[in-house]
Structure formats: structure tokens, C-alpha cells
Amino acid sequence: MAERDSRTVRDLRRGNRSALLRHLYFEGPLSRQELARDTGLSTGSISNVVSELLADGVVEEAGSVGSDGGRPRVMLKVAPRHGLLVGVDVGETRVRVALFDLALTELSSADRPLADSGHEVATVVRLVLDGLSAVLRDARVDPALVLGVGIGVPGIVEQGTDGSGAVVHGQTIGWNAVPLGALLAEGTRLPLHIDNGAITLGQAEMWFGAGRGARNAVIALLGSGVGACVVTDGKPYRGTGTSAGEWGHTTLQVGGRRCRCGARGCLEAYVGAEALAERWGVHTGAGEEAAVGALLEAAGSGDPAAVALLDETAEYLGAGIADLVNLFAPERIVLCGWAGLMIGPRLLDAVRTAAAAYALHRPFARTTVELGLLGADAVTVGAATLPLARFLDAGGHPLVGSAADSAPTRQR
């Protein structure tokens, strides 16, 4: 009984620590009085938890503000350099690795083009590990300060007991049950966190971007391919086997254009960047981004074929968004991804009009459709939120429940 009571007290303290740290991270700087008001924890609990976090270096003082007739209130914030985070975007044309502090300020980055070898597994693993070494070297930081490496990948991710057990099924890139976690773990001892790239982007936009404040939203990613992160009650909806969110492979036209996945008529086959370039008849040897840019430039110059293609794309995209509205009734739909952010400023009004025409009127009236705020590299930021989320859930104890539980204790 004593052991059970001890475990209960320990879990309660860890829960209090996590709740306070998470609130301080997203809403800080805050004073002790504001933390007590916002979290509902007692003054004594706040004092004890804050003292622990200060002693551990997780939290630091951030100046003081005056109070009504009393002593100035000391403001607190999460210490940005207490730990470091790595985000990796295994994209369609490149692998991007970035190193961040806890405030998600980018400290260094490395871009590695995929080039002719495409998504050959050994190549992707090599580029991720090479980029990881490069960002740590360029920033001149101690790898022991890295809390974890988050990796966003195309496809369905089956999670193991830890990140090193993650298996990826990427049909559009030719991956079938690739043990990516185990392959990467052979080259690094840092904790790994692997998830679908659209889900990592969705978490970033929900935490820091256009989705902030919403409880039910869809973060739609348009790049070479198309995906989505469906957020219900503040959490990504994953379905069975984490395969939910493959919006790009919903059927837009029966017997339509061939998609990269092998099926016909997928939404991705009409609005993805690769499909846009193909439909316009432009060779993408210079890169899909250049092809989409040329399409927009031609439309801006009045080229009838380019204008017609973009008008058609807006209607296809609006119809796809209407499906999201009818299925999930979100309060917000956020259009992201490098291609989405390129075409969005020109097409957003037309997309909204088309979505309104195809969606049920009542749920659409309660939905807003807007552009993402975090830019084209949001997947990298989102990937870094994977180890950050684990850190916050653990109350600032980075090793609790992570893949690094058996790793040597970090020296700070």
C-alpha cells in the first residue's frame, strides 16, 4: 500500500509539473500568481513546482512587473537553451534538417537534395544522418543537449514501442514496411520520433500558426503530393494504424487521371504540384517549385491556358475542401505546404467560392478557410514539436518514457 501511495504522489507531482510547464510554454512569460490563477493549482503547489523547475534549469526568470501596491511580480518563462530539438522533413525533393532551441528559434539547418536516387531508402537514411551531423557541427553544440529528433515522412507510420521501432508505408514513394526507425538508430543514439509529415505540419500550425485557438480543424498540405491533418478536440485524428489524413487519395473523379499511388481520379492527381506541372505540360527537370512559379507567372501575364488551369484547380481544390467540411465540420481549414502557399494567395477566394458551392451550407457557414502562417518549412518545425511534446508531457524530464530511457544521463 505504501508503494502504491508513493507512486500516486509521484504521478500527481509529475502531472502538476507537466500542466504548469505546458501552460508556461504556450502562454508565458507569466508570474506565479498568474500560473495559480490559470492552472487552478494551489499557491503551495505552484511554489514547489516552480522551485523545482528553476533548480533544474527548465524555467528561468524573465524580469518583473509592478503590481497594485505590492512587490513587483517576477515573470517566468521556459529557458530556451535548456535543451535542443531537431526537426527533419523527408520531403518530395529534399531532406531538410534543422536544429532549434526550446523556443523553436532555428539555430542551424541543412538541405540535402534527393536528386536522381529519389527516395531510395539507404539514400534517405544517409541524408538524414548527414544533415543531423551537419547542424550539430555548424551550431557548435553539445549533442547531449538534444532532447530528441523529430522526423516527418510521407506515408503511413506504424509506431513501435519507441521511435526506433517506427515502420513507414509510403506507397507513392515506393516504401513498403520500411523499418526507418531501426535504420536511423544504427547511426545515432539520439531519441527518435517519427510521424507523417502532414501530421507534424498540422501540429505546428495548431500550436503556433493559423490553427491556434481552434479545437476542431483540418490542416491541409499541398506540395508535390497532398495530405491533411484532421484535428478533433485538439488532437490529431489517426484512425486505425495511424492512416487517417490521406486526403489526397480520396476520389475526385471516377476513372480520372492516374495518381502516383496507382489509383485513378485522386484529388492529388489534380491539385498536387507534380500534377499541376504535368497538366500544364511543363517539364519539371528544373524542379516542381520552378514549374509552379512559371505557371503563376504565365497566369499573371494573362496566358489563357494558365488562367484556365488555375481556375480549374481552384474548383477541384474547393470540391476537396467541401468534402472535409461535410465529413468533419471543422471550425477552421488551413491551407499549407509549399505549393499551397504559392498558389493560395491567387486562388483562395475562388477556392472558398467553390467550397461553398459543393459543401452543405450549414457546416460551411461555421468554417473558415485560410492560409497557413508558418511558411514552406513548417514540416521541419512540426517535426521538432514531436520531441518537444514529449518533453512537455514529461514535465521537463526529457528521458521519462522516451526511447532514451536507457541512454547515459546527460551532463549539463
Side-chain angles (χ1 to χ4, degrees), residues 90-92 119 152-156 168-170 172-173 175 195-197 246:
V90 179
E92 300 286 351
H119 288 82
V153 298
I156 298 166
V168 181
H169 304 267
T172 60
I173 59 173
W175 285 14
D195 212 333
N196 173 268
E246 292 293 342

Side-chain angles (χ1 to χ4, degrees), residues 146-150 163 188-193 387 398-399 402-405 407 410:
V146 176
L147 305 178
V149 180
T188 179
R189 297 190 63 196
L190 294 173
L192 300 171
H193 309 265
L399 301 184
S402 76
D405 281 342
R410 290 183 174 87

Side-chain angles (χ1 to χ4, degrees), residues 292-356:
V292 173
L295 170 61
L296 289 169
E297 184 177 355
S301 299
D303 183 313
V307 171
L309 177 55
L310 288 179
D311 287 346
E312 187 180 57
T313 299
E315 184 163 11
Y316 283 139
L317 185 53
I321 286 175
D323 288 342
L324 296 175
V325 172
N326 293 344
L327 284 170
F328 301 108
E331 58 195 283
R332 200 172 304 169
I333 294 175
V334 181
L335 187 60
C336 301
W338 67 264
L341 295 177
M342 283 186 73
I343 67 174
R346 179 184 175 92
L347 299 187
L348 190 59
D349 287 342
V351 168
R352 288 170 175 154
T353 299

